[in-house]
Amino acid sequence: IIKKKAVIGQGTVLEPISIGGDSFRNGTAESGYLVEDITGVGLWGKRSLQDTPYSMTVITSDLIENIQANDMVPIFKINPITQNNSTPSAGIHSPIIRGFNVNNPVINGMPIANWYSFTTMEDLERVETISGATGFLYGGGRVGGAVNYVTKKPTLEDKRSITLGNYGGEQYYTHIDLSGQIDEKKVFGYRINALYQDGDSVANVGKEQKFVSLAFDYKPTDNFTMDLNYAHRELDRKNQKPFFNIGANTFRPILDISKGYTSDLNS
């Protein structure tokens, strides 16, 4: 924020002129996707990014939307401290931070032990990445760092958004985002996200995805907030046959490698 006082004549002082404002601090495209705060680190809670003693990057919802990120692969590519390590299966990602795989995600500041837990890009408000050992913050399994996926929360102002788009090839999608307050005192809020996606991509790998998330919050005072979140996702990856692995030190049958042993997806 730039403030300037202009003086005209003999002591006539105009009101302060403000250039910028709150919109230039929340990671919008106008601010260059820069943010000044984070949602929380471990038990520390929300604080200024400048006052956080960790190497962190924040990817905002504006950047996720503007690059039309279908999954986390392009996000990990533009993030300077992460490297994508796998082709996403069922929306699951395993990035590399400082040479170590980061399998267990953190969702809304809560560490998830099961790495199969994930959500869709349309339901993400921001992605916060911490570089360095974070086992004392979120537990084991995060030697190189941690990735905190922050989902969308109810807004104080009404939001009504319907998006029709294409992720490449014939992968069209429809996304609905509704948010606001239920009562006039703005004690109860809601957020509804729904997505339907279907079709083949440019790599002839299609998928059909159905997703819905519901978020409700209760704010009786300025210092107390209670959240209730629900999400349901159905994903059908097309043109991909299932596979099986044979582990080491086990009996290996003689297999004819000229043919496949997976089931026919069309049956």
Side-chain angles (χ1 to χ4, degrees):
I1 300 176
I2 301 175
K3 292 185 177 181
K4 180 180 179 181
K5 288 186 178 181
V7 180
I8 300 178
Q10 300 297 324
T12 302
V13 181
L14 300 179
E15 294 295 328
I17 301 174
S18 177
I19 302 177
D22 293 338
S23 62
F24 280 74
R25 297 198 302 265
N26 59 6
T28 61
E30 291 82 3
S31 66
Y33 307 110
L34 299 178
V35 297
E36 291 189 357
D37 58 358
I38 59 174
T39 59
V41 177
L43 300 176
W44 288 10
K46 185 176 181 179
R47 61 180 50 236
S48 169
L49 182 60
Q50 185 176 1
D51 296 334
T52 304
Y54 300 97
S55 175
M56 296 188 63
T57 60
V58 180
I59 305 297
T60 63
S61 58
D62 270 22
L63 182 55
I64 295 175
E65 180 180 355
N66 289 341
I67 66 175
Q68 286 192 308
N70 189 16
D71 50 41
M72 284 298 300
V73 173
I75 301 300
F76 290 140
K77 285 183 178 180
I78 64 176
N79 192 335
I81 65 175
T82 59
Q83 178 182 356
N84 185 61
N85 186 39
S86 62
T87 301
S89 175
I92 304 165
H93 298 271
S94 178
I96 294 178
I97 302 178
R98 290 192 173 184
F100 295 92
N101 288 329
V102 180
N103 295 329
N104 301 333
V106 180
I107 300 180
N108 295 327
M110 299 180 61
I112 306 298
N114 189 343
W115 72 289
Y116 286 98
S117 301
F118 194 64
T119 183
T120 66
M121 302 302 297
E122 288 76 12
D123 196 40
L124 290 180
E125 183 67 32
R126 57 168 59 186
V127 179
E128 300 175 339
T129 306
I130 307 175
S131 176
T134 57
F136 60 99
L137 293 173
Y138 300 113
R142 302 172 181 87
V143 179
V147 181
N148 181 28
Y149 301 93
V150 183
T151 59
K152 293 180 178 179
K153 301 298 182 182
T155 58
L156 294 178
E157 303 297 332
D158 290 340
K159 177 181 177 64
R160 305 288 185 269
S161 173
I162 299 178
T163 304
L164 302 176
N166 179 276
Y167 281 130
E170 298 179 357
Q171 279 201 9
Y172 294 93
Y173 69 93
T174 301
H175 174 222
I176 299 176
D177 188 0
L178 308 176
S179 181
Q181 299 296 307
I182 299 176
D183 60 326
E184 295 182 355
K185 295 183 179 180
K186 298 184 178 181
V187 176
F188 297 93
Y190 70 93
R191 188 75 177 259
I192 302 174
N193 269 278
L195 170 73
Y196 179 76
Q197 175 186 352
D198 193 13
D200 293 338
S201 67
V202 292
N204 197 28
V205 177
K207 67 179 180 180
E208 181 182 9
Q209 181 177 199
K210 301 175 184 178
F211 176 84
V212 61
S213 68
L214 306 175
F216 298 93
D217 64 8
Y218 172 58
K219 308 176 292 297
T221 66
D222 294 337
N223 299 322
F224 179 83
T225 301
M226 180 181 296
D227 295 336
L228 176 62
N229 300 275
Y230 169 82
H232 178 76
R233 184 174 187 232
E234 296 180 6
L235 178 63
D236 180 16
R237 298 186 68 86
K238 304 177 180 179
N239 304 329
Q240 290 188 352
K241 291 187 175 182
F243 62 92
F244 62 90
N245 295 323
I246 300 177
N249 299 324
T250 59
F251 172 74
R252 301 188 180 189
I254 300 177
L255 302 177
D256 183 3
I257 61 175
S258 64
K259 63 179 181 179
Y261 291 88
T262 59
S263 59
D264 188 358
L265 296 180
N266 296 325
S267 61

